[in-house]
Structure formats: structure tokens, C-alpha cells
Amino acid sequence: MDIKRSEVYRYLGYGRNKPDEKVYEAVEECIDLVVKNSDMKSIYRIFDLNVEGSTITIDNSFKTESKNLSKNLTGCEKIVLFGATLGTGVDMLIKKYSKLDMSYAVIIQAAAATVIEEYCDICQKEIENKLAAENKFIRPRFSPGYGDFSINHQKEIINMLDCPRKIGLMLTESLMLVPSKSVTAVMGISSEKQDCHIKGCEECEKLDCKYRRS
């Protein structure tokens, strides 16, 4: 796994600035701790999809209104529902260092956020490769809570994937994922290949975010 240190520094709020040697060493140590304490698991399933305007229907049971997501899914016939987690070990690690050394706990949080995204990228690439054999192409990940795609839809994704039983990923009543370093997302499947897969900061309209990629 190629863990981008620049992403860890971005989560820590460094922007274009470089950390000093002490922070650099702490980041390296925390990345190692996160990887060693992770139990990475993922799951995905492919469902039928229908998009009419901003109305999206998945498997005739999961229905939502989202202009942002419908734009992402334009031209798609099927959709991937996806879930991934680093496991409970990372949550325990964060809890431990929150009591021992808060500065390390903050760096571990940033390292874990980077690792889960890198892991999701790896999983997505594997799905892409499988679909390529069928001359199908995948769209960028789109998670509940992004844009106008309601975070409430964590529930449908968790249930339709049977995440608690399959990968130990659950949802609290306040819609928090447990373990905390986890992701749910959807990815459209299309017969058309798109050259530009814009996602994340590159597409977000919040230009004043201090965590924004340069």
C-alpha cells in the first residue's frame, strides 16, 4: 500500500507547508502503528440502477433525490454499493493514545483517515479490473454525506450489504460508522469510459476549506 504522506499532512492542516523533522518522524511512527493495528475488510455488491432527473432508484427499493449523485451516475445502468473498514484495532489505538499523548492521537487520526482512503482506492481498482473484462467502466466513489446525497443513506448501504455480519461494520443511531475509520459509498457502472474521474477536493465547492488539496 502506497500511503501518501502529503495526505496525512493535509489532514493535519499543513497545506503547502512542510513539517519539521520531529513531526515527520511522528507521522512515520503513527502510519506504522495504524497499518499494524488494522484489520482491513471490504464488501461490495452490484445492483440495478435507474436515474430519472435527480431521482435515483437502486434495486427497486433504495430511492433518493440527489442532483449531485445523479450527475455522477448519468449514463450508468448498474451501481456498486461498497463498504470498507480498518477494523476496531485502530479505534482502540486512537483511544489509547488519547490518554497517553494527545498529539500522537491527532496524528494517528490523520494517518488512519489516509489509510482508509488508500485502501478504498485499492478496492476500487480491483472492482474496475473485474468490470473491465466485461467492457464496463466504473465512476468515482460517492459517499453519503457528500454534496446533497443524504448521510441517512448509510442505513440502506449497510443493510443491503449486510455489513455487520460480513465485515463487522455497523451504524449508530446518530449515523456514525463503527469502527470509525470506515467508508460506505456507491459507484456507478457504465458502458462509457470517462477520461476524467474528478472526486473529492477537485469537485467540492467549499473553496475556503483548510483541508483542501492545493
Side-chain angles (χ1 to χ4, degrees):
M1 180 182 289
D2 181 21
I3 300 166
K4 297 181 179 67
R5 272 56 178 177
S6 60
E7 285 293 279
V8 180
Y9 300 140
R10 181 174 69 85
Y11 282 120
L12 290 172
Y14 276 89
R16 296 183 180 182
N17 300 316
K18 291 186 178 181
D20 59 29
E21 187 66 24
K22 185 177 180 181
V23 172
Y24 171 83
E25 291 176 357
V27 165
E28 293 302 308
E29 185 177 347
C30 288
I31 288 173
D32 187 57
L33 282 170
V34 168
V35 172
K36 286 181 177 178
N37 284 273
S38 293
D39 181 18
M40 302 177 195
K41 293 180 180 178
S42 67
I43 186 172
Y44 77 92
R45 288 183 64 192
I46 296 173
F47 294 93
D48 290 331
L49 170 71
N50 184 58
V51 180
E52 294 183 3
S54 61
T55 303
I56 300 151
T57 306
I58 302 170
D59 195 39
N60 293 319
S61 58
F62 176 173
K63 194 169 185 177
T64 184
E65 293 283 336
S66 171
K67 290 181 179 179
N68 296 139
L69 181 55
S70 63
K71 181 180 178 182
N72 177 281
L73 297 175
T74 298
C76 295
E77 314 95 18
K78 301 230 177 228
I79 192 167
V80 175
L81 298 193
F82 172 79
T85 182
L86 296 186
T88 58
V90 174
D91 280 2
M92 293 172 65
L93 185 68
I94 293 169
K95 184 177 180 180
K96 173 184 174 181
Y97 276 89
S98 293
K99 296 177 180 177
L100 294 176
D101 188 329
M102 199 58 208
S103 63
Y104 261 59
V106 171
I107 298 172
I108 290 169
Q109 286 272 13
T114 302
V115 170
I116 186 62
E117 287 300 319
E118 295 286 350
Y119 177 56
C120 288
D121 286 344
I122 291 170
C123 294
Q124 182 170 338
K125 190 63 179 177
E126 290 175 353
I127 299 171
E128 285 179 5
N129 291 338
K130 288 181 181 179
L131 290 172
E134 305 172 24
N135 291 317
K136 300 292 184 182
F137 305 95
I138 204 164
R139 298 287 172 83
R141 291 192 304 276
F142 207 105
S143 292
Y146 185 70
D148 62 352
F149 183 33
S150 175
I151 197 169
N152 289 308
H153 293 305
Q154 301 263 41
K155 296 176 183 178
E156 286 95 337
I157 297 175
I158 292 284
N159 291 335
M160 291 171 76
L161 292 176
D162 194 13
C163 285
R165 188 170 67 87
K166 295 292 181 64
I167 62 172
L169 174 56
M170 295 171 283
L171 193 67
T172 68
E173 290 184 2
S174 57
L175 304 177
M176 298 293 291
L177 292 172
V178 179
S180 64
K181 297 309 173 187
S182 303
V183 168
T184 63
V186 301
M187 294 172 263
I189 300 174
S190 173
S191 298
E192 298 178 12
K193 186 175 183 179
Q194 290 191 343
D195 293 330
C196 183
H197 278 192
I198 299 173
K199 65 178 182 178
C201 293
E202 294 78 10
E203 190 173 71
C204 181
E205 296 177 356
K206 188 171 174 54
L207 302 179
D208 60 344
C209 176
K210 68 178 181 178
Y211 299 112
R212 188 178 180 86
R213 294 187 190 92
S214 300

PDB file of all heavy atoms in Angstrom, residues 86-116:
ATOM      1  N   LEU A  86     -11.209  -0.278   8.581  1.00  0.00           N
ATOM      2  CA  LEU A  86      -9.886  -0.642   9.098  1.00  0.00           C
ATOM      3  C   LEU A  86     -10.000  -1.530  10.326  1.00  0.00           C
ATOM      4  O   LEU A  86      -8.996  -2.032  10.823  1.00  0.00           O
ATOM      5  CB  LEU A  86      -9.078   0.609   9.458  1.00  0.00           C
ATOM      6  CG  LEU A  86      -8.706   1.558   8.313  1.00  0.00           C
ATOM      7  CD1 LEU A  86      -7.778   2.662   8.832  1.00  0.00           C
ATOM      8  CD2 LEU A  86      -8.052   0.828   7.156  1.00  0.00           C
ATOM      9  N   GLY A  87     -11.230  -1.713  10.829  1.00  0.00           N
ATOM     10  CA  GLY A  87     -11.424  -2.578  11.984  1.00  0.00           C
ATOM     11  C   GLY A  87     -11.327  -1.857  13.321  1.00  0.00           C
ATOM     12  O   GLY A  87     -10.961  -0.678  13.409  1.00  0.00           O
ATOM     13  N   THR A  88     -11.653  -2.580  14.374  1.00  0.00           N
ATOM     14  CA  THR A  88     -11.726  -1.992  15.725  1.00  0.00           C
ATOM     15  C   THR A  88     -10.361  -1.686  16.328  1.00  0.00           C
ATOM     16  O   THR A  88     -10.246  -0.863  17.227  1.00  0.00           O
ATOM     17  CB  THR A  88     -12.476  -2.933  16.678  1.00  0.00           C
ATOM     18  OG1 THR A  88     -11.812  -4.208  16.711  1.00  0.00           O
ATOM     19  CG2 THR A  88     -13.914  -3.140  16.225  1.00  0.00           C
ATOM     20  N   GLY A  89      -9.310  -2.350  15.818  1.00  0.00           N
ATOM     21  CA  GLY A  89      -7.974  -2.143  16.374  1.00  0.00           C
ATOM     22  C   GLY A  89      -7.511  -0.703  16.273  1.00  0.00           C
ATOM     23  O   GLY A  89      -6.840  -0.192  17.177  1.00  0.00           O
ATOM     24  N   VAL A  90      -7.876  -0.030  15.197  1.00  0.00           N
ATOM     25  CA  VAL A  90      -7.470   1.367  15.021  1.00  0.00           C
ATOM     26  C   VAL A  90      -8.225   2.270  15.989  1.00  0.00           C
ATOM     27  O   VAL A  90      -7.654   3.210  16.551  1.00  0.00           O
ATOM     28  CB  VAL A  90      -7.692   1.819  13.560  1.00  0.00           C
ATOM     29  CG1 VAL A  90      -7.404   3.313  13.407  1.00  0.00           C
ATOM     30  CG2 VAL A  90      -6.798   1.017  12.625  1.00  0.00           C
ATOM     31  N   ASP A  91      -9.507   1.976  16.220  1.00  0.00           N
ATOM     32  CA  ASP A  91     -10.268   2.752  17.206  1.00  0.00           C
ATOM     33  C   ASP A  91      -9.651   2.606  18.595  1.00  0.00           C
ATOM     34  O   ASP A  91      -9.551   3.576  19.360  1.00  0.00           O
ATOM     35  CB  ASP A  91     -11.721   2.281  17.248  1.00  0.00           C
ATOM     36  CG  ASP A  91     -12.548   2.855  16.106  1.00  0.00           C
ATOM     37  OD1 ASP A  91     -11.989   3.577  15.265  1.00  0.00           O
ATOM     38  OD2 ASP A  91     -13.758   2.567  16.051  1.00  0.00           O
ATOM     39  N   MET A  92      -9.236   1.388  18.919  1.00  0.00           N
ATOM     40  CA  MET A  92      -8.601   1.141  20.218  1.00  0.00           C
ATOM     41  C   MET A  92      -7.272   1.885  20.318  1.00  0.00           C
ATOM     42  O   MET A  92      -6.916   2.409  21.384  1.00  0.00           O
ATOM     43  CB  MET A  92      -8.398  -0.362  20.409  1.00  0.00           C
ATOM     44  CG  MET A  92      -9.707  -1.146  20.553  1.00  0.00           C
ATOM     45  SD  MET A  92      -9.469  -2.937  20.545  1.00  0.00           S
ATOM     46  CE  MET A  92      -8.536  -3.154  22.054  1.00  0.00           C
ATOM     47  N   LEU A  93      -6.554   1.952  19.202  1.00  0.00           N
ATOM     48  CA  LEU A  93      -5.278   2.663  19.163  1.00  0.00           C
ATOM     49  C   LEU A  93      -5.480   4.159  19.415  1.00  0.00           C
ATOM     50  O   LEU A  93      -4.748   4.773  20.198  1.00  0.00           O
ATOM     51  CB  LEU A  93      -4.623   2.448  17.795  1.00  0.00           C
ATOM     52  CG  LEU A  93      -3.221   3.007  17.580  1.00  0.00           C
ATOM     53  CD1 LEU A  93      -2.201   2.248  18.423  1.00  0.00           C
ATOM     54  CD2 LEU A  93      -2.836   2.916  16.103  1.00  0.00           C
ATOM     55  N   ILE A  94      -6.489   4.729  18.764  1.00  0.00           N
ATOM     56  CA  ILE A  94      -6.796   6.155  18.948  1.00  0.00           C
ATOM     57  C   ILE A  94      -7.198   6.425  20.399  1.00  0.00           C
ATOM     58  O   ILE A  94      -6.758   7.412  21.006  1.00  0.00           O
ATOM     59  CB  ILE A  94      -7.919   6.595  17.987  1.00  0.00           C
ATOM     60  CG1 ILE A  94      -7.431   6.529  16.537  1.00  0.00           C
ATOM     61  CG2 ILE A  94      -8.402   8.010  18.326  1.00  0.00           C
ATOM     62  CD1 ILE A  94      -8.529   6.683  15.508  1.00  0.00           C
ATOM     63  N   LYS A  95      -8.023   5.558  20.948  1.00  0.00           N
ATOM     64  CA  LYS A  95      -8.462   5.711  22.344  1.00  0.00           C
ATOM     65  C   LYS A  95      -7.276   5.642  23.299  1.00  0.00           C
ATOM     66  O   LYS A  95      -7.169   6.427  24.253  1.00  0.00           O
ATOM     67  CB  LYS A  95      -9.485   4.624  22.686  1.00  0.00           C
ATOM     68  CG  LYS A  95     -10.075   4.747  24.068  1.00  0.00           C
ATOM     69  CD  LYS A  95     -11.140   3.676  24.302  1.00  0.00           C
ATOM     70  CE  LYS A  95     -11.743   3.810  25.698  1.00  0.00           C
ATOM     71  NZ  LYS A  95     -12.786   2.764  25.938  1.00  0.00           N
ATOM     72  N   LYS A  96      -6.382   4.706  23.034  1.00  0.00           N
ATOM     73  CA  LYS A  96      -5.193   4.532  23.879  1.00  0.00           C
ATOM     74  C   LYS A  96      -4.337   5.796  23.889  1.00  0.00           C
ATOM     75  O   LYS A  96      -3.953   6.306  24.948  1.00  0.00           O
ATOM     76  CB  LYS A  96      -4.376   3.346  23.363  1.00  0.00           C
ATOM     77  CG  LYS A  96      -3.025   3.157  24.051  1.00  0.00           C
ATOM     78  CD  LYS A  96      -2.256   2.013  23.404  1.00  0.00           C
ATOM     79  CE  LYS A  96      -0.852   1.911  23.991  1.00  0.00           C
ATOM     80  NZ  LYS A  96      -0.064   0.807  23.361  1.00  0.00           N
ATOM     81  N   TYR A  97      -4.047   6.326  22.697  1.00  0.00           N
ATOM     82  CA  TYR A  97      -3.161   7.488  22.621  1.00  0.00           C
ATOM     83  C   TYR A  97      -3.858   8.784  23.012  1.00  0.00           C
ATOM     84  O   TYR A  97      -3.192   9.770  23.343  1.00  0.00           O
ATOM     85  CB  TYR A  97      -2.535   7.592  21.228  1.00  0.00           C
ATOM     86  CG  TYR A  97      -1.307   6.718  21.107  1.00  0.00           C
ATOM     87  CD1 TYR A  97      -1.412   5.395  20.706  1.00  0.00           C
ATOM     88  CD2 TYR A  97      -0.050   7.203  21.456  1.00  0.00           C
ATOM     89  CE1 TYR A  97      -0.297   4.572  20.623  1.00  0.00           C
ATOM     90  CE2 TYR A  97       1.082   6.392  21.382  1.00  0.00           C
ATOM     91  CZ  TYR A  97       0.949   5.073  20.970  1.00  0.00           C
ATOM     92  OH  TYR A  97       2.064   4.276  20.909  1.00  0.00           O
ATOM     93  N   SER A  98      -5.173   8.779  23.028  1.00  0.00           N
ATOM     94  CA  SER A  98      -5.909   9.951  23.521  1.00  0.00           C
ATOM     95  C   SER A  98      -5.656  10.150  25.011  1.00  0.00           C
ATOM     96  O   SER A  98      -5.759  11.263  25.535  1.00  0.00           O
ATOM     97  CB  SER A  98      -7.408   9.786  23.263  1.00  0.00           C
ATOM     98  OG  SER A  98      -7.684   9.805  21.885  1.00  0.00           O
ATOM     99  N   LYS A  99      -5.301   9.064  25.690  1.00  0.00           N
ATOM    100  CA  LYS A  99      -4.993   9.129  27.114  1.00  0.00           C
ATOM    101  C   LYS A  99      -3.491   9.316  27.366  1.00  0.00           C
ATOM    102  O   LYS A  99      -3.087   9.929  28.344  1.00  0.00           O
ATOM    103  CB  LYS A  99      -5.467   7.851  27.808  1.00  0.00           C
ATOM    104  CG  LYS A  99      -6.981   7.653  27.774  1.00  0.00           C
ATOM    105  CD  LYS A  99      -7.377   6.333  28.425  1.00  0.00           C
ATOM    106  CE  LYS A  99      -8.882   6.126  28.383  1.00  0.00           C
ATOM    107  NZ  LYS A  99      -9.279   4.808  28.956  1.00  0.00           N
ATOM    108  N   LEU A 100      -2.669   8.754  26.440  1.00  0.00           N
ATOM    109  CA  LEU A 100      -1.221   8.784  26.635  1.00  0.00           C
ATOM    110  C   LEU A 100      -0.560  10.036  26.078  1.00  0.00           C
ATOM    111  O   LEU A 100       0.311  10.632  26.723  1.00  0.00           O
ATOM    112  CB  LEU A 100      -0.579   7.552  25.977  1.00  0.00           C
ATOM    113  CG  LEU A 100      -0.912   6.188  26.562  1.00  0.00           C
ATOM    114  CD1 LEU A 100      -0.255   5.096  25.724  1.00  0.00           C
ATOM    115  CD2 LEU A 100      -0.445   6.096  28.017  1.00  0.00           C
ATOM    116  N   ASP A 101      -0.960  10.412  24.846  1.00  0.00           N
ATOM    117  CA  ASP A 101      -0.295  11.520  24.161  1.00  0.00           C
ATOM    118  C   ASP A 101      -1.250  12.069  23.103  1.00  0.00           C
ATOM    119  O   ASP A 101      -1.392  11.504  22.021  1.00  0.00           O
ATOM    120  CB  ASP A 101       0.998  11.024  23.508  1.00  0.00           C
ATOM    121  CG  ASP A 101       1.847  12.145  22.939  1.00  0.00           C
ATOM    122  OD1 ASP A 101       1.266  13.159  22.505  1.00  0.00           O
ATOM    123  OD2 ASP A 101       3.083  12.020  22.928  1.00  0.00           O
ATOM    124  N   MET A 102      -1.898  13.192  23.396  1.00  0.00           N
ATOM    125  CA  MET A 102      -2.929  13.724  22.515  1.00  0.00           C
ATOM    126  C   MET A 102      -2.377  14.119  21.148  1.00  0.00           C
ATOM    127  O   MET A 102      -3.064  13.987  20.130  1.00  0.00           O
ATOM    128  CB  MET A 102      -3.598  14.944  23.165  1.00  0.00           C
ATOM    129  CG  MET A 102      -4.949  15.273  22.574  1.00  0.00           C
ATOM    130  SD  MET A 102      -6.095  13.868  22.718  1.00  0.00           S
ATOM    131  CE  MET A 102      -7.140  14.166  21.309  1.00  0.00           C
ATOM    132  N   SER A 103      -1.125  14.580  21.108  1.00  0.00           N
ATOM    133  CA  SER A 103      -0.541  14.968  19.818  1.00  0.00           C
ATOM    134  C   SER A 103      -0.401  13.744  18.911  1.00  0.00           C
ATOM    135  O   SER A 103      -0.658  13.826  17.700  1.00  0.00           O
ATOM    136  CB  SER A 103       0.819  15.636  20.013  1.00  0.00           C
ATOM    137  OG  SER A 103       1.752  14.738  20.596  1.00  0.00           O
ATOM    138  N   TYR A 104      -0.050  12.599  19.496  1.00  0.00           N
ATOM    139  CA  TYR A 104       0.048  11.363  18.725  1.00  0.00           C
ATOM    140  C   TYR A 104      -1.338  10.890  18.305  1.00  0.00           C
ATOM    141  O   TYR A 104      -1.512  10.361  17.199  1.00  0.00           O
ATOM    142  CB  TYR A 104       0.763  10.276  19.531  1.00  0.00           C
ATOM    143  CG  TYR A 104       2.221  10.133  19.166  1.00  0.00           C
ATOM    144  CD1 TYR A 104       3.087  11.209  19.287  1.00  0.00           C
ATOM    145  CD2 TYR A 104       2.735   8.935  18.669  1.00  0.00           C
ATOM    146  CE1 TYR A 104       4.428  11.105  18.953  1.00  0.00           C
ATOM    147  CE2 TYR A 104       4.069   8.814  18.315  1.00  0.00           C
ATOM    148  CZ  TYR A 104       4.909   9.897  18.453  1.00  0.00           C
ATOM    149  OH  TYR A 104       6.238   9.798  18.098  1.00  0.00           O
ATOM    150  N   ALA A 105      -2.308  11.091  19.170  1.00  0.00           N
ATOM    151  CA  ALA A 105      -3.676  10.683  18.838  1.00  0.00           C
ATOM    152  C   ALA A 105      -4.175  11.440  17.605  1.00  0.00           C
ATOM    153  O   ALA A 105      -4.832  10.863  16.729  1.00  0.00           O
ATOM    154  CB  ALA A 105      -4.608  10.934  20.022  1.00  0.00           C
ATOM    155  N   VAL A 106      -3.845  12.724  17.524  1.00  0.00           N
ATOM    156  CA  VAL A 106      -4.249  13.544  16.373  1.00  0.00           C
ATOM    157  C   VAL A 106      -3.573  13.042  15.099  1.00  0.00           C
ATOM    158  O   VAL A 106      -4.203  12.931  14.040  1.00  0.00           O
ATOM    159  CB  VAL A 106      -3.902  15.028  16.624  1.00  0.00           C
ATOM    160  CG1 VAL A 106      -4.106  15.844  15.354  1.00  0.00           C
ATOM    161  CG2 VAL A 106      -4.754  15.583  17.757  1.00  0.00           C
ATOM    162  N   ILE A 107      -2.289  12.705  15.189  1.00  0.00           N
ATOM    163  CA  ILE A 107      -1.564  12.211  14.020  1.00  0.00           C
ATOM    164  C   ILE A 107      -2.083  10.838  13.601  1.00  0.00           C
ATOM    165  O   ILE A 107      -2.209  10.549  12.403  1.00  0.00           O
ATOM    166  CB  ILE A 107      -0.044  12.163  14.305  1.00  0.00           C
ATOM    167  CG1 ILE A 107       0.489  13.569  14.589  1.00  0.00           C
ATOM    168  CG2 ILE A 107       0.704  11.544  13.119  1.00  0.00           C
ATOM    169  CD1 ILE A 107       1.936  13.600  15.057  1.00  0.00           C
ATOM    170  N   ILE A 108      -2.413  10.012  14.567  1.00  0.00           N
ATOM    171  CA  ILE A 108      -2.980   8.686  14.263  1.00  0.00           C
ATOM    172  C   ILE A 108      -4.310   8.841  13.539  1.00  0.00           C
ATOM    173  O   ILE A 108      -4.614   8.112  12.592  1.00  0.00           O
ATOM    174  CB  ILE A 108      -3.126   7.851  15.551  1.00  0.00           C
ATOM    175  CG1 ILE A 108      -1.738   7.439  16.065  1.00  0.00           C
ATOM    176  CG2 ILE A 108      -3.988   6.605  15.293  1.00  0.00           C
ATOM    177  CD1 ILE A 108      -1.752   6.841  17.449  1.00  0.00           C
ATOM    178  N   GLN A 109      -5.123   9.795  13.977  1.00  0.00           N
ATOM    179  CA  GLN A 109      -6.392  10.078  13.292  1.00  0.00           C
ATOM    180  C   GLN A 109      -6.146  10.415  11.825  1.00  0.00           C
ATOM    181  O   GLN A 109      -6.829   9.922  10.922  1.00  0.00           O
ATOM    182  CB  GLN A 109      -7.112  11.242  13.980  1.00  0.00           C
ATOM    183  CG  GLN A 109      -7.753  10.924  15.317  1.00  0.00           C
ATOM    184  CD  GLN A 109      -9.182  10.407  15.167  1.00  0.00           C
ATOM    185  OE1 GLN A 109      -9.640  10.063  14.083  1.00  0.00           O
ATOM    186  NE2 GLN A 109      -9.883  10.334  16.280  1.00  0.00           N
ATOM    187  N   ALA A 110      -5.179  11.294  11.592  1.00  0.00           N
ATOM    188  CA  ALA A 110      -4.859  11.719  10.227  1.00  0.00           C
ATOM    189  C   ALA A 110      -4.302  10.558   9.407  1.00  0.00           C
ATOM    190  O   ALA A 110      -4.661  10.383   8.230  1.00  0.00           O
ATOM    191  CB  ALA A 110      -3.859  12.868  10.260  1.00  0.00           C
ATOM    192  N   ALA A 111      -3.451   9.765  10.017  1.00  0.00           N
ATOM    193  CA  ALA A 111      -2.872   8.617   9.319  1.00  0.00           C
ATOM    194  C   ALA A 111      -3.953   7.591   8.976  1.00  0.00           C
ATOM    195  O   ALA A 111      -3.980   7.048   7.865  1.00  0.00           O
ATOM    196  CB  ALA A 111      -1.792   7.970  10.182  1.00  0.00           C
ATOM    197  N   ALA A 112      -4.865   7.366   9.912  1.00  0.00           N
ATOM    198  CA  ALA A 112      -5.939   6.392   9.683  1.00  0.00           C
ATOM    199  C   ALA A 112      -6.886   6.861   8.587  1.00  0.00           C
ATOM    200  O   ALA A 112      -7.351   6.063   7.761  1.00  0.00           O
ATOM    201  CB  ALA A 112      -6.707   6.146  10.980  1.00  0.00           C
ATOM    202  N   ALA A 113      -7.184   8.168   8.560  1.00  0.00           N
ATOM    203  CA  ALA A 113      -8.042   8.723   7.507  1.00  0.00           C
ATOM    204  C   ALA A 113      -7.403   8.530   6.141  1.00  0.00           C
ATOM    205  O   ALA A 113      -8.083   8.229   5.148  1.00  0.00           O
ATOM    206  CB  ALA A 113      -8.290  10.204   7.765  1.00  0.00           C
ATOM    207  N   THR A 114      -6.077   8.670   6.073  1.00  0.00           N
ATOM    208  CA  THR A 114      -5.361   8.466   4.822  1.00  0.00           C
ATOM    209  C   THR A 114      -5.345   7.000   4.426  1.00  0.00           C
ATOM    210  O   THR A 114      -5.584   6.651   3.262  1.00  0.00           O
ATOM    211  CB  THR A 114      -3.907   8.982   4.949  1.00  0.00           C
ATOM    212  OG1 THR A 114      -3.934  10.363   5.305  1.00  0.00           O
ATOM    213  CG2 THR A 114      -3.150   8.800   3.645  1.00  0.00           C
ATOM    214  N   VAL A 115      -5.095   6.131   5.387  1.00  0.00           N
ATOM    215  CA  VAL A 115      -5.011   4.692   5.103  1.00  0.00           C
ATOM    216  C   VAL A 115      -6.337   4.139   4.610  1.00  0.00           C
ATOM    217  O   VAL A 115      -6.377   3.354   3.656  1.00  0.00           O
ATOM    218  CB  VAL A 115      -4.521   3.920   6.349  1.00  0.00           C
ATOM    219  CG1 VAL A 115      -4.657   2.406   6.136  1.00  0.00           C
ATOM    220  CG2 VAL A 115      -3.070   4.266   6.657  1.00  0.00           C
ATOM    221  N   ILE A 116      -7.461   4.539   5.220  1.00  0.00           N
ATOM    222  CA  ILE A 116      -8.755   4.012   4.772  1.00  0.00           C
ATOM    223  C   ILE A 116      -9.048   4.459   3.341  1.00  0.00           C
ATOM    224  O   ILE A 116      -9.583   3.684   2.533  1.00  0.00           O
ATOM    225  CB  ILE A 116      -9.908   4.395   5.737  1.00  0.00           C
ATOM    226  CG1 ILE A 116     -11.226   3.716   5.320  1.00  0.00           C
ATOM    227  CG2 ILE A 116     -10.093   5.880   5.842  1.00  0.00           C
ATOM    228  CD1 ILE A 116     -11.217   2.221   5.345  1.00  0.00           C
TER     229      ILE A 116
END
